[in-house]
Amino acid sequence: MTRKRLGWLVGAGALLLALVLTLPLHIGQLLPGKSDHVPDAPGQGLPEALEQLRGDNDLVRPQAVAHGARPRLHSTAYGRQETRLSDGTTAMPALDDKALIALAESDATESPAWRAYYLCLAVAPRDPGAPSPHAQRLMDQIPWSKEALEEARTYLITRGSTDSIDTSVATRGSFLTALRCLGKADGVPESALDALATDANRISTPIPVLEASDALSGLGRPLKPSTAVSDWHSEATAQSCTEADAAQLAAQRILSPATRLPQESAQCLKAGIGSDNPQTRWLARRALPQEKSIKTRAAFDDKGLVIETPNQQGNLRATYEAARALAITGTQNQAPDWLTDAVRKLSNERELPPGDNVMVALICDRLELACGPRAAEGQRDVAALVVPPRYQANRSAQWGDTMRARIELELGCPKTDIAPALPEGKRLDGPALRALRLLGEAGCKEQAAQAVTGHDLPKIATGLLRDGDLIGAADAYWAAVHSGAVISQEFFDQLPSLVAKFTAKGNASLYSRTPGGPADVEATNAAYSLQ
């Protein structure tokens, strides 16, 4: 369960946050950021321009474009499960197998094992982990099916060594459910099941314990939640009830149905049935099976897939990108009040998902804000992260997100090796350029210099700008800087005109990912890092 799946759990992988950052971080004067602003630097109109990217929740949106409604794998999985538990007035549309397979294959934001888990939820009856010949037939038609099974088994055995215990328990529970659904749970060692049960009894957060309980119960190993889960307490009121509050209260009620909730908490739990998020609705309906009066909000297309409604909310990743851009231009002290107020408010919440703690901490650091206890907690979370010892191209997000967070708080060069994963004798691709940049920003400059031997990074950066890839060009340029590459004056002379063509329409202080595209906060950050 990554942050994308409701946002209350995090490990190194959950900062993917689904969601990829680039960090020109403040290590000395080489990096754009807090200390290298000059009076005539570009971007002085950026604070006002961010209004164009302002979300309804006063966080920054990734792009200045409304996202249209379309089917989503996550929504289809939980929306179909929730509809099965609703009042029965909404007919469950038949599911088009080819459309579901295409949706699963197109969801590149999720790993193969997570996609397998969602596929099982979409086609399974009320017990998503019950062996499903239907799901097995679908998986047999998917090219990454073996990779999904291997990922799930490996994670169950290794316990996700770089993830927090909450993330690890939730992920192991979900992956075990997927293996049960696909008839492959027999391959999981008993020791891994024992470890999952033991770890689930060590934590008090209801959702990961429920994930583990559901999976283990299906294997004849019922989990008796610890008293810590029954004692888990939410201070949510009808006015302050959040998505996380409603979902956690639902999981707690499912695990401990005899637990009596205060009236305010009970109201918050019931409100979950009307949530915008299908996962929260599903949990709330499981917790309150007697509540049949509220109809499901799932909207189906003609293929039986659940459509995700447009969302104009900003998010913390995009807000962090905006904070970086403000710092690069030296205008962090002019950040819009709506943005700083929203971040400070989050930093003073009674509880945030660990992943959100981290992002709040990084934003507060970039904007030099005096923030609340959640920011301090996020800094501690970052300090506890461990960078995977080897960079792997197919797991670049996990490696990169951990590196980025550590670099931002200046935690030094970690023990990690990137060279074996770089494409030998080939042009460096986007993930490799980003990894090289991060390696240099972390202070691992000797390894970065060795890794780029034979590659003309300034030339690559120029080529990417000409080809319409602003973000890749910024990664290539900063990889060159940190590896000690010689950068000619000719390169710098070309930059202004090459970057200018990415200026967003209607706002000269914002930039787009490709020429002529909508304003994009990550592209804006990249553009200012090149000026």
Side-chain angles (χ1 to χ4, degrees):
M1 188 179 298
T2 66
R3 194 175 69 254
K4 177 173 173 287
R5 298 172 187 83
L6 277 179
W8 32 76
L9 300 172
V10 70
L15 286 175
L16 51 87
L17 195 191
L19 337 156
V20 177
L21 303 176
T22 56
L23 294 180
L25 297 164
H26 50 85
I27 300 175
Q29 293 295 321
L30 284 176
L31 296 174
K34 300 175 179 174
S35 58
D36 62 343
H37 172 62
V38 293
D40 58 346
Q44 300 310 291
L46 178 60
E48 294 77 16
L50 287 176
E51 182 70 30
Q52 188 174 337
L53 294 169
R54 183 177 181 177
D56 294 335
N57 55 352
D58 287 338
L59 296 177
V60 177
R61 292 187 290 142
Q63 289 188 334
V65 61
H67 297 285
R70 64 186 178 91
R72 301 272 185 171
L73 183 60
H74 174 273
S75 299
T76 298
Y78 290 112
R80 292 185 69 87
Q81 282 291 323
E82 185 242 340
T83 301
R84 293 185 181 102
L85 299 178
S86 66
D87 60 1
T89 61
T90 301
M92 176 73 79
L95 188 61
D96 184 304
D97 287 353
K98 290 184 178 179
L100 179 60
I101 289 174
L103 187 61
E105 290 185 330
S106 66
D107 192 351
T109 63
E110 299 290 351
S111 72
W114 277 114
R115 282 182 270 175
Y117 173 71
Y118 289 145
L119 185 144
C120 281
L121 261 65
V123 305
R126 292 194 178 190
D127 176 8
S132 171
H134 186 187
Q136 293 168 30
R137 288 196 302 272
L138 295 184
M139 284 296 290
D140 287 342
Q141 301 175 55
I142 294 176
W144 41 260
S145 59
K146 290 183 179 179
E147 185 179 351
L149 297 174
E150 182 59 29
E151 179 190 351
R153 279 193 293 260
T154 300
Y155 194 100
L156 276 156
I157 293 169
T158 63
R159 310 185 200 180
S161 58
T162 62
D163 286 348
S164 70
I165 187 169
D166 278 10
T167 300
S168 172
V169 168
T171 304
R172 281 183 280 165
S174 299
F175 287 0
L176 182 56
T177 293
L179 291 173
R180 284 179 53 221
C181 160
L182 298 172
K184 302 295 183 181
D186 290 346
V188 181
E190 287 291 318
S191 58
L193 302 180
D194 292 340
L196 176 57
T198 298
D199 289 345
N201 280 316
R202 290 172 51 201
I203 61 178
S204 61
T205 312
I207 286 177
V209 176
L210 178 61
E211 296 277 6
S213 177
D214 285 348
L216 291 169
S217 295
L219 295 176
R221 298 173 61 117
L223 181 68
K224 184 179 180 181
S226 67
T227 56
V229 172
S230 301
D231 293 340
W232 184 87
H233 175 64
S234 170
E235 297 177 1
T237 66
Q239 291 72 37
S240 68
C241 177
T242 67
E243 199 82 58
D245 290 324
Q248 296 284 15
L249 286 166
Q252 182 189 40
R253 170 58 65 88
I254 296 166
L255 291 165
S256 305
T259 299
R260 292 183 60 85
L261 295 177
Q263 182 179 0
E264 295 278 16
S265 295
Q267 291 174 341
C268 179
L269 168 55
K270 185 176 179 180
I273 297 177
S275 167
D276 291 333
N277 193 301
Q279 185 179 1
T280 300
R281 297 199 303 267
W282 175 54
L283 290 171
R285 288 194 187 277
R286 288 181 62 187
L288 300 172
Q290 73 278 10
E291 294 291 345
K292 298 291 187 181
S293 61
I294 304 176
K295 294 183 179 181
T296 176
R297 297 182 61 179
F300 294 90
D301 68 5
D302 58 358
K303 304 292 185 181
L305 306 177
V306 175
I307 298 171
E308 188 170 293
T309 55
N311 187 341
Q312 302 309 311
Q313 301 291 301
N315 62 58
L316 285 170
R317 281 196 175 251
T319 303
Y320 176 62
E321 287 287 345
R324 290 181 52 222
L326 289 165
I328 289 170
T329 59
T331 58
Q332 65 268 37
N333 294 327
Q334 302 169 41
D337 290 341
W338 54 265
L339 189 159
T340 56
D341 289 348
V343 173
R344 286 196 183 100
K345 181 179 179 181
L346 285 171
S347 76
N348 284 293
E349 289 286 346
R350 64 180 179 276
E351 181 182 8
L352 284 179
D356 287 357
N357 290 338
V358 168
M359 297 308 299
V360 166
L362 301 187
I363 296 166
C364 291
D365 181 65
R366 273 286 166 172
L367 295 181
E368 302 175 356
L369 298 178
C371 289
R374 299 292 75 79
E377 187 175 344
Q379 291 195 5
R380 292 192 294 271
D381 289 341
V382 173
L385 292 177
V386 178
V387 179
R390 288 183 179 275
Y391 169 86
Q392 295 176 292
N394 63 346
R395 297 182 183 274
S396 60
Q398 178 186 6
W399 185 91
D401 284 337
T402 310
M403 286 282 284
R404 292 175 183 114
R406 284 177 49 87
I407 291 168
E408 177 68 16
L409 299 184
E410 302 181 14
L411 298 180
C413 176
K415 293 182 178 179
T416 188
D417 190 7
I418 186 177
L422 296 181
E424 293 187 15
K426 300 179 181 178
R427 181 175 176 174
L428 295 169
D429 58 14
L433 289 170
R434 182 158 293 175
L436 288 167
R437 172 181 184 168
L438 290 172
L439 196 68
E441 289 175 357
C444 310
K445 297 190 176 181
E446 183 177 346
Q447 185 183 164
Q450 293 174 349
V452 302
T453 300
H455 296 283
D456 188 339
L457 292 172
K459 183 178 180 180
I460 292 174
T462 302
L464 289 171
L465 286 171
R466 296 187 190 284
D467 292 342
D469 184 356
L470 173 60
I471 293 173
D475 286 337
Y477 168 70
W478 285 102
V481 170
H482 295 302
S483 65
V486 176
I487 305 177
S488 68
Q489 184 58 45
E490 181 184 3
F491 173 86
F492 292 109
D493 291 341
Q494 297 179 73
L495 271 184
S497 60
L498 290 173
V499 172
K501 67 180 182 179
F502 293 89
T503 302
K505 291 183 178 179
N507 199 316
S509 295
L510 300 175
Y511 292 82
S512 59
R513 285 178 173 263
T514 56
D520 180 285
V521 69
E522 188 177 358
T524 297
N525 183 17
Y528 285 123
S529 79
L530 288 170
Q531 295 181 49

